[in-house]
Structures are given as C-alpha cells and as structure tokens.
Amino acid sequence: VRVAILISGSGSNMVRLVESMTGEHPARPVLVLSNVPGAGGLDRARALGVPTAVVDHRAHPDRAAFEAALEEALAPARPDLICLAGFMRVLSADFVARRAGRILNIHPSLLPKFRGLDTHARALAAGETRHGCTVHEVTPALDDGPILGQAEVPVLPDDTPETLAARVLEAEHRLYPAVLRRVAEGDRTPLRLD
Ligand code: GRF
C-alpha cells in the first residue's frame, strides 16, 4: 500500500507514520508533501529517506489551481492512501470525492466534539475531564468523516492549552500508526486507545 503524507509544519505525526511502515507492514511511504516551503517536516522526511515535494498554496491564485498542482505532485507517487498529518489546508469536495475513503486525517479532539481549530482551549473552557484525538476518513465536511480510531487522555486540573496539547500529541503519535496499519491491512473497524 503506497502512502503519501501531507504536512504543513513540524511533521511529528509524519515521522511516527514513516517509522511505523517497516518490515512486514503492508504499507510504505512514497511521498511527503508540504504546502509550506521550508516546513520542518520536510527535512525530517528527507532524513528518513522519503521523497518530498512542496506545493505552496500561496503560489496559486485559488483553491482549484492549488489542488491541480497538488494532483500533479501526487501523480508520480501513485499513492493508494493519503494521510493528512498536521496539514492545514481544507481540501475541496471534488478533490476528496476523487479519493473517496482513501484520505485519512488526524484531528486533536474526540470527534464529534470540537471540530475545527483551538480544540484544547475549547475543551478546557468546556470543563472536559477527558479529551483526545481522532483519526477519520476525510469527507467534504470539515472533521466529519467516519471515525477509524480514537485515543483518550485525561484533562488535569492545572492543564493549560499547551500542556493538554502535548498530552494529546503524544496520543496522536500512538493512534495514527496503529490506525494506518489496520487500514493498510483492510480493517476499518474503529480502534479505541486509552
Ligand atoms: C498538531 O497540533 C496536531 O495536534 C495536529 O497537527 C499539529 C501538528 O502536528 N494533528 P505535526 O507535529 O505537524 O504532526
């Protein structure tokens, strides 16, 4: 199974995904693509020996042009699955529909709670005692597709958005590789990690 990983920043989730695809694992990383030139994850991908590409969304007049460039950069890699990992662009319904069920995303909340941004501050403001992350299939609606896995973390009384984000990120690093392996093996039953 050929996996392309899309990033926008440090790529810590991408690193864990790439490091998990070894030995008898049915998937292999074929491309790491960033919409941000110079994203830290690009150097980390190169250090791991994974081909990289940059498609700068600011270099394109609109979403359609950006996504055409995205398709062009993805084509040679022939990905079977696309993993969004800290990818901060919303993909159009057309782009998603062309790859129905073959785009995964990790979101730092226990969906359907806290779709969108600033999830940790919002979870704290809501007085949540449990929080976490979700891997889901990408559909045209934001952060809304079928859930493939979730990992829960406790919210502690003295948590700040930063301390909570760090705890969730650690859970992401456990959840995403576990879900990718199951999906690559053809198993899409939701996984629950605590
Ligand atoms: C993190 O906030 C994570 O919760 C979300 O994307 C951001 C960056 O992740 N999934 P990464 O280090 O680039 O994987």
Side-chain angles (χ1 to χ4, degrees):
V1 176
R2 302 172 63 86
V3 175
I5 306 171
L6 273 52
I7 65 170
S8 298
S10 63
S12 72
N13 276 291
M14 173 276 298
V15 168
R16 272 59 176 199
L17 290 174
V18 169
E19 289 176 338
S20 74
M21 290 184 261
T22 58
E24 88 298 339
H25 194 305
R28 284 292 181 274
V30 294
L31 183 68
V32 170
L33 184 150
S34 173
N35 66 297
V36 175
L42 290 168
D43 290 336
R44 297 170 87 175
R46 292 179 191 121
L48 290 166
V50 183
T52 61
V54 172
V55 179
D56 184 350
H57 62 282
R58 293 165 307 178
H60 301 281
D62 56 36
R63 187 191 307 276
F66 167 65
E67 292 188 348
L70 212 45
E71 291 285 9
E72 213 171 298
L74 286 166
R78 295 183 287 111
D80 302 304
L81 273 179
I82 293 176
C83 289
L84 309 183
F87 186 67
M88 301 308 278
R89 304 302 296 173
V90 175
L91 296 168
S92 69
D94 287 351
F95 185 98
V96 170
R98 279 198 295 276
R99 287 185 164 76
R102 292 185 289 122
I103 307 177
L104 309 186
N105 182 47
I106 189 155
H107 178 76
S109 80
L110 292 174
L111 291 174
K113 287 184 175 180
F114 310 120
R115 291 188 177 90
L117 300 174
D118 300 324
T119 61
H120 310 301
R122 291 160 58 200
L124 289 172
E128 300 290 340
T129 56
R130 307 289 290 171
H131 188 39
C133 51
T134 302
V135 175
H136 63 95
E137 289 181 16
V138 174
T139 57
L142 185 68
D143 301 330
D144 189 38
I147 290 176
L148 295 170
Q150 294 194 307
E152 260 193 48
V153 302
V155 178
L156 303 179
D158 56 351
D159 263 331
T160 64
E162 292 69 31
T163 59
L164 187 51
R167 192 172 310 121
V168 170
L169 191 59
E170 186 282 324
E172 292 179 35
H173 295 165
R174 290 185 286 114
L175 178 67
Y176 216 166
V179 170
L180 173 61
R181 181 167 189 131
R182 284 158 72 96
V183 170
E185 289 168 346
D187 175 2
R188 294 206 177 203
T189 51
L191 172 67
R192 186 90 190 178
L193 296 183
D194 289 318

